[in-house]
């Protein structure tokens, strides 16, 4: 018979050793054993626990590796009001605040200054000496239950030597250095700052995923359900003794520094209330040298009776103030959130905002990327948010400043808002996989005609939507095959507009092979890959033949093509639908062959020997270099000014002195319509 008592004792001892090792490593940064020794103990404990499930314990360190089970992060009510902080941006405002409170309290106040950690706010609830549950801040009254995820953070003790009920507020953060790595490795660099990545990680549905991220925490406020301690510094000391990570930069400003003497915080600094200004100025300097982000300092009144006397407003305590380093980005309200389906089927949630000015433009919409990003900032309709222009281009919602009525984050619908088919998760995004989804089809058409692709300017979004909805243009070839004269009689479609559409479609047939290929919008075959394919094979038939061999090595031989792109190339160019599309477009006359300079000169030289000057503005050639490119392609030469050597003047609207000179010299003048006929028929 096994000695079960001995085994239980061994299990308990292993747990104690691991807990101590975790604290020394993650809280005190002073390891007491090597990684190898630690792993040995950990594996031994795991083995014994698996063999003797009767000794299971929800607080065992082995529970910290996370699990694969989906936890839906249900909402739960907070036991305390999780208020936010009032803020100021200038030292003078801060000094005014101190003065006002001094007057109110009629005593010399004691002030504590702490770094304002730029992370994700959480509340830990302990009961009977163990972590009972952990909630996000949510709307201050209800938060999401993230207990399982929180347990993966090794610096948070699962058990403490204090049996009464206790709520502790803290901030989860990721160090600057880790942020770069992990954002790239797991998140496609979607997060613009460590704060959002930290929030995203603690909201993962699988705690095993949370465990992947290097999450840290600082605790900064204790709320005893049983009254115990009478000042904040003693609260912090108590938390530190219980094994919680407390930020070591504590500033204590008082005229009675007895308390200061017993502070166990490494970087504690003290002084009289007069010294606060200097401390803050100094901190603004060292801010960047800290390994984690802080966005300001929090100034708090130390004495808890004083705090009680000052009380709260609906949003914040009157006994604390955030001094923020940077003025805010633009702030606005989220009016609605819609999920858009792109041409590749990707579902992208977009926030419609109350329009606001930011760096010279009005912003009314901003992307919310995907569900992970939404969860990371916790945004929903009605929230006040701050927005930025990342890299000065794409507006992004950075942070929720004030929650509206909806405490939980927005949920992307489970079905495609356009065709209602179930959205399927692939990586971090949801996709509509239906082949007939009209948003995807329309998106493909819009991409095909867009400026960097076939550049059919006359088919703007509105026109294309109209043609699509009427069923005239459903697929790419329809753009070329539809008889546009059928539009006569529809509102807004007069002869001139119809001619313009026909002309710009005709001109698009001159686009080179590389552009035609990328404009098809095949996944992974963008401008860069199209260029590589065209440079290496110069003919669609060769690409199709190579793809039919279904050997990815053929394509990975191309410098710049990896395995997954090679597989994509094979999939596309063996797909009967794609092959049929290519065949149709070939028959229509689009370029599926790249001519070498020599071949080009031989095949399309009907303008060779002609010298052209271009003047005025054109409907179909904006900028007019587009016309110049076509002339050069057919062997013509472009001149800057009209002379007796000029063969043709291509003349648009509002032409000036060049036209007069050409008329004087008797140079043949060609108008836009005629030019289009010339390039269409390839004869002059
Ligand atoms: S005290 C009732 N102390 O800042 C007072 N907050 O903008 C509770 N924060 O929601 C807040 N570091 O998430 C406090 N040392 C610190 C903090 C801190 C970061 C966060 C906290 C709060 C937000 C307010």
């Amino acid at each position: 018979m096994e000695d079960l008592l001995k085994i239980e004792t061994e299990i308990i001892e292993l747990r104690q050793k691991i807990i101590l090792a975790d604290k020394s490593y993650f809280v005190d940064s002073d390891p007491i054993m090597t990684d190898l020794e630690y792993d040995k103990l950990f594996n031994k404990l795991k083995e014994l626990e698996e063999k003797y499930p009767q000794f299971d314990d929800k607080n065992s360190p082995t529970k910290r590796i996370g699990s694969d089970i989906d936890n839906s992060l249900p909402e739960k009510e907070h036991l305390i009001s999780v208020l936010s902080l009032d803020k100021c941006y200038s030292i003078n405002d801060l000094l005014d605040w101190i003065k006002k409170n001094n007057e109110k309290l009629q005593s010399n106040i004691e002030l504590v200054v702490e770094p304002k950690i730029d992370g994700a706010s959480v509340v830990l609830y302990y009961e009977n000496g163990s972590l009972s549950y952990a909630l996000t801040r949510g709307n201050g009254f209800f938060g999401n239950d993230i207990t399982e995820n929180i347990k993966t953070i090794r610096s948070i003790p699962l058990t403490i030597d204090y049996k009464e009920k206790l709520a502790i507020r803290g901030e989860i953060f990721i160090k600057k250095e880790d942020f770069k790595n992990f954002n790239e490795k797991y998140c496609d660099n979607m997060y613009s700052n460590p704060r959002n990545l930290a929030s995203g990680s603690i909201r993962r549905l699988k705690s095993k995923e949370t465990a992947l991220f290097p999450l840290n925490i600082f605790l900064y406020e204790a709320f005893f359900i049983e009254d115990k301690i009478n000042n904040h510094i003693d609260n912090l000391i108590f938390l530190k003794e219980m094994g919680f990570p407390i930020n070591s930069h504590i500033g204590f400003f008082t005229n009675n520094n007895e308390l200061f003497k017993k502070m166990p915080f490494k970087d504690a600094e003290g002084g009289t209330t007069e010294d606060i200004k200097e401390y803050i100025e100094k901190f603004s300097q060292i801010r960047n040298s800290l390994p984690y982000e802080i966005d300001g300092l929090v100034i708090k009144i130390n004495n808890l009776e004083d705090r009680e006397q000052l009380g709260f407003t609906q949003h914040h305590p009157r006994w604390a103030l955030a001094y923020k380093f940077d003025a805010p980005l633009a702030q606005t309200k989220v009016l609605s959130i819609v999920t858009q389906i792109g041409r590749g089927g990707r579902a992208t949630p977009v926030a419609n905002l109350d329009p606001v000015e930011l760096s010279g433009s009005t912003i009314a919409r901003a992307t919310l990327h995907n569900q992970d990003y939404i969860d990371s900032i916790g945004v929903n309709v009605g929230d006040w948010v701050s927005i930025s222009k990342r890299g000065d281009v794409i507006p992004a919602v950075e942070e929720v400043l004030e929650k509206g009525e909806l405490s939980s984050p927005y949920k992307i619908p489970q079905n495609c808002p356009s065709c209602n088919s179930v959205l399927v998760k692939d990586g971090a995004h949801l996709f509509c996989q239906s082949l007939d989804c009209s948003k995807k089809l329309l998106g493909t058409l819009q991409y095909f005609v867009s400026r960097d692709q076939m550049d059919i300017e006359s088919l703007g979004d509105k026109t294309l939507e109209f043609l699509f909805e009427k069923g005239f243009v459903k697929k790419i070839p329809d753009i070329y095959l539809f008889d546009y004269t059928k539009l006569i009689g529809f509102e807004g479609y007069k002869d001139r507009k119809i001619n313009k559409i026909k002309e710009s479609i005709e001109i698009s047939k001159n686009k080179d092979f590389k552009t035609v290929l990328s404009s098809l919008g095949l996944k992974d075959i963008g401008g860069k890959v199209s260029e590589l394919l065209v440079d290496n094979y110069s003919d669609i038939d060769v690409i199709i033949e190579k793809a039919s061999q279904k050997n990815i090595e053929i394509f990975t031989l191309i410098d710049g093509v990896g395995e997954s792109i090679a597989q994509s190339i094979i999939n596309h160019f063996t797909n009967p639908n794609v092959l049929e599309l290519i065949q149709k477009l070939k028959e229509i006359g689009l370029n599926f062959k790249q001519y070498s300079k020599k071949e080009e000169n031989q095949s399309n030289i009907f303008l060779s020997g002609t010298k052209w000057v271009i003047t005025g503005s054109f409907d179909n050639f904006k900028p007019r270099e587009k016309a110049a490119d076509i002339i050069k392609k057919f062997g013509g030469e472009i001149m800057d000014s009209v002379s007796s050597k000029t063969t043709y003047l291509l003349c648009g609207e509002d032409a000036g002195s060049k036209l007069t000179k050409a008329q004087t010299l008797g140079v043949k003048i060609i108008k836009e319509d005629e030019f289009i006929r010339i390039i269409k028929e390839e004869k002059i």
Side-chain angles (χ1 to χ4, degrees):
M1 204 28 216
E2 289 172 298
D3 185 347
L4 283 179
L5 192 64
K6 220 173 119 196
I7 288 160
E8 188 179 12
T9 313
E10 188 181 356
I11 289 180
I12 291 171
E13 276 173 13
L14 280 168
R15 283 179 188 151
Q16 282 167 348
K17 279 187 194 157
I18 294 169
I19 289 171
L20 275 183
D22 275 345
K23 177 164 186 292
S24 67
Y25 186 92
F26 291 105
V27 182
D28 305 332
S29 306
D30 185 14
I32 51 172
M33 63 178 76
T34 64
D35 288 357
L36 202 73
E37 282 168 315
Y38 182 90
D39 290 346
K40 253 182 159 169
L41 295 182
F42 200 89
N43 291 336
K44 179 79 196 162
L45 175 62
K46 239 168 72 180
E47 190 189 311
L48 287 176
E49 284 182 342
E50 269 160 31
K51 203 161 162 203
Y52 302 98
Q54 65 266 49
F55 302 128
D56 194 27
D57 182 344
K58 72 175 178 33
N59 292 322
S60 169
T62 53
K63 296 286 187 287
R64 292 189 185 266
I65 46 182
S67 94
D68 256 338
I69 300 169
D70 258 11
N71 53 64
S72 55
L73 317 180
E75 279 192 2
K76 205 166 166 144
E77 192 167 4
H78 280 289
L79 292 182
I80 55 171
S81 320
V82 191
L83 300 172
S84 169
L85 288 169
D86 200 4
K87 48 187 175 291
C88 69
Y89 298 95
S90 80
I91 297 197
N92 281 342
D93 286 350
L94 170 66
L95 297 177
D96 282 349
W97 180 83
I98 297 175
K99 200 167 145 222
K100 217 171 65 197
N101 281 323
N102 243 332
E103 285 163 11
K104 270 195 209 160
L105 295 170
Q106 301 201 328
S107 64
N108 259 333
I109 46 176
E110 293 180 344
L111 294 165
V112 180
V113 181
E114 297 167 7
K116 187 171 178 315
I117 311 299
D118 197 9
S121 194
V122 287
V123 188
L124 311 180
Y125 290 94
Y126 284 77
E127 213 171 331
N128 289 323
S130 69
L131 176 65
S132 164
Y133 55 95
L135 304 183
T136 60
R137 179 174 181 275
N139 61 357
F141 304 106
F142 288 87
N144 286 103
D145 187 336
I146 50 166
T147 318
E148 290 314 308
N149 295 344
I150 282 295
K151 281 186 175 176
T152 67
I153 304 174
R154 306 264 172 149
S155 57
I156 297 179
L158 298 181
T159 55
I160 53 171
D161 197 10
Y162 178 78
K163 297 277 178 280
E164 308 298 329
K165 281 190 179 176
L166 175 64
I168 315 170
R169 288 193 60 176
E171 203 81 358
I172 308 264
F173 64 96
I174 292 182
K175 288 187 186 153
K176 293 176 196 167
E177 196 183 298
D178 292 330
F179 168 68
K180 259 186 100 190
N181 268 332
F182 281 76
N183 192 26
E184 189 181 321
K185 196 161 157 196
Y186 297 110
C187 313
D188 278 350
N189 282 324
M190 180 174 71
Y191 294 97
S192 58
N193 56 50
R195 178 203 335 118
N196 289 346
L197 179 57
S199 310
S201 326
I202 56 165
R203 290 168 172 282
R204 294 267 162 169
L205 297 184
K206 292 183 169 61
S207 52
K208 233 187 180 133
E209 290 180 9
T210 305
L212 294 172
F213 294 90
L215 297 175
N216 303 278
I217 188 166
F218 281 129
L219 285 307
Y220 48 71
E221 281 291 327
F223 300 84
F224 292 89
I225 308 303
E226 300 269 301
D227 279 355
K228 195 170 174 258
I229 294 176
N230 64 16
N231 69 72
H232 181 60
I233 291 287
D234 277 335
N235 265 346
L236 293 178
I237 295 175
F238 165 81
L239 289 178
K240 189 167 166 64
E241 280 168 359
M242 290 297 117
F244 291 100
I246 309 296
N247 194 297
S248 62
H249 292 278
I250 302 286
F252 186 46
F253 299 92
T254 172
N255 293 332
N256 148 30
N257 63 11
E258 276 312 297
L259 245 180
F260 182 70
K261 288 188 196 141
K262 64 170 188 176
M263 288 224 285
F265 306 108
K266 182 161 71 60
D267 301 299
E269 282 184 46
T272 68
T273 42
E274 314 286 282
D275 299 324
I276 280 205
K277 184 167 182 241
E278 203 185 316
Y279 183 77
I280 287 182
E281 278 163 355
K282 190 202 76 187
F283 227 99
S284 314
Q285 305 291 317
I286 69 158
R287 171 189 184 189
N288 290 333
S289 64
L290 294 173
Y292 44 83
E293 301 260 14
I294 65 171
D295 58 338
L297 294 164
V298 187
I299 294 83
K300 300 175 175 178
I301 287 174
N302 185 41
N303 189 298
L304 301 190
E305 264 178 30
D306 284 351
R307 288 188 178 189
E308 212 164 293
Q309 190 181 331
L310 292 170
F312 307 86
T313 71
Q314 272 197 328
H315 303 286
H316 56 258
R318 290 203 184 87
W319 44 260
L321 184 69
Y323 167 81
K324 302 259 279 182
F325 293 134
D326 308 312
L329 311 157
Q331 303 177 14
T332 186
K333 196 172 176 179
V334 178
L335 299 180
S336 64
I337 299 178
V338 290
T339 295
Q340 294 184 340
I341 302 295
R343 66 191 164 84
R346 185 199 277 193
T348 305
V350 176
N352 289 314
L353 308 164
D354 200 359
V356 61
E357 284 291 312
L358 180 60
S359 341
S361 52
T362 305
I363 295 182
R365 285 150 55 81
T367 174
L368 296 172
H369 303 287
N370 57 28
Q371 191 66 53
D372 286 344
Y373 190 80
I374 291 180
D375 289 345
S376 75
I377 55 174
V379 67
N380 209 333
V381 177
D383 294 352
W384 265 97
V385 292
S386 69
I387 54 167
S388 70
K389 279 207 274 182
R390 254 187 238 180
D392 267 346
V393 215
I394 317 159
V397 176
E398 290 287 332
E399 193 183 355
V400 172
L401 301 167
E402 192 98 36
K403 285 294 291 172
E405 279 182 8
L406 305 165
S407 62
S408 277
Y410 172 81
K411 281 272 165 274
I412 297 177
Q414 293 179 335
N415 295 68
C416 171
S418 167
C419 71
N420 206 33
S421 66
V422 175
L423 298 175
V424 178
K425 193 153 190 219
D426 183 3
H429 301 281
L430 288 166
F431 287 85
C432 169
Q433 294 193 321
S434 158
L435 292 175
D436 315 310
C437 173
S438 56
K439 274 281 178 296
K440 281 168 74 175
L441 296 174
L442 181 61
T444 307
L445 295 173
Q446 282 167 336
Y447 181 73
F448 182 84
V449 304
S450 64
R451 178 175 301 223
D452 289 339
Q453 304 304 321
M454 299 302 275
D455 193 21
I456 309 180
E457 209 183 314
S458 60
L459 292 183
D461 274 358
K462 261 206 181 133
T463 310
L464 209 50
E465 256 172 65
F466 168 79
L467 294 170
F468 184 79
E469 270 159 25
K470 285 271 172 267
F472 296 150
V473 173
K474 283 266 175 214
K475 299 208 164 136
I476 293 173
D478 301 340
I479 292 177
Y480 294 94
L481 299 173
F482 176 60
D483 175 6
Y484 290 87
T485 51
K486 287 194 177 144
L487 294 178
I488 293 172
F490 284 102
E491 202 190 323
Y493 290 91
K494 303 240 162 65
D495 277 353
R496 189 174 140 73
K497 175 153 183 174
I498 291 171
N499 278 338
K500 226 180 127 186
I501 293 177
K502 288 205 287 199
E503 282 165 0
S504 65
I505 288 175
E506 205 50 49
I507 292 165
S508 77
K509 291 185 185 169
N510 288 294
K511 285 281 177 189
D512 60 3
F513 179 22
K514 175 183 64 129
T515 310
V516 172
L517 201 54
S518 69
S519 69
L520 302 181
L522 304 172
K523 185 168 177 280
D524 294 332
I525 320 288
K528 183 91 195 27
V529 175
S530 296
E531 192 168 349
L532 290 173
L533 283 173
V534 168
D535 285 351
N536 280 273
Y537 300 116
S538 72
D539 190 328
I540 195 72
D541 291 338
V542 182
I543 299 175
I544 292 171
E545 192 277 316
K546 299 276 177 205
S548 71
Q549 297 178 34
K550 301 202 170 169
N551 173 3
I552 62 166
E553 278 170 27
I554 296 179
F555 293 104
T556 51
L557 276 179
I558 303 175
D559 202 12
V561 174
E563 283 185 12
S564 86
I565 302 268
Q567 191 56 55
S568 246
I569 296 172
I570 293 175
N571 294 347
H572 289 309
F573 296 106
T574 54
N575 175 339
N577 293 328
V578 175
L579 298 182
E580 188 191 325
L581 170 69
I582 291 172
Q583 187 51 36
K584 277 195 182 147
L585 293 179
K586 248 179 166 183
E587 284 162 16
I588 286 163
L590 264 53
N591 280 320
F592 280 97
K593 215 169 165 179
Q594 166 90 337
Y595 296 98
S596 67
K597 276 275 159 286
K598 207 167 135 215
E599 279 174 317
E600 211 159 68
N601 288 345
Q602 282 166 3
S603 61
N604 292 310
I605 50 164
F606 80 100
L607 291 182
S608 89
T610 58
K611 292 186 167 53
W612 295 69
V613 172
I614 305 175
T615 187
S617 63
F618 300 87
D619 274 348
N620 294 292
F621 308 103
K622 281 185 196 133
R624 52 180 193 231
E625 278 66 38
K626 287 183 183 172
D629 285 345
I630 295 174
I631 293 170
K632 284 191 264 181
K633 186 180 142 211
F634 290 123
E637 204 181 311
I638 304 293
M639 301 169 75
D640 283 339
S641 53
V642 179
S643 71
S644 57
K645 294 200 179 100
T646 311
T647 332
Y648 299 110
L649 178 78
L650 175 57
C651 182
E653 295 297 313
D654 305 321
S657 62
K658 284 181 182 165
L659 174 60
T660 329
K661 190 156 180 204
Q663 282 163 338
T664 322
L665 292 173
V667 171
K668 183 154 176 27
I669 292 156
I670 294 186
K671 289 279 180 62
E672 184 168 1
D673 289 357
E674 199 186 347
F675 181 66
I676 291 168
R677 182 202 54 78
I678 290 169
I679 55 174
K680 192 171 159 191
E681 295 173 4
E682 295 190 12
K683 69 173 198 269
I684 193 157

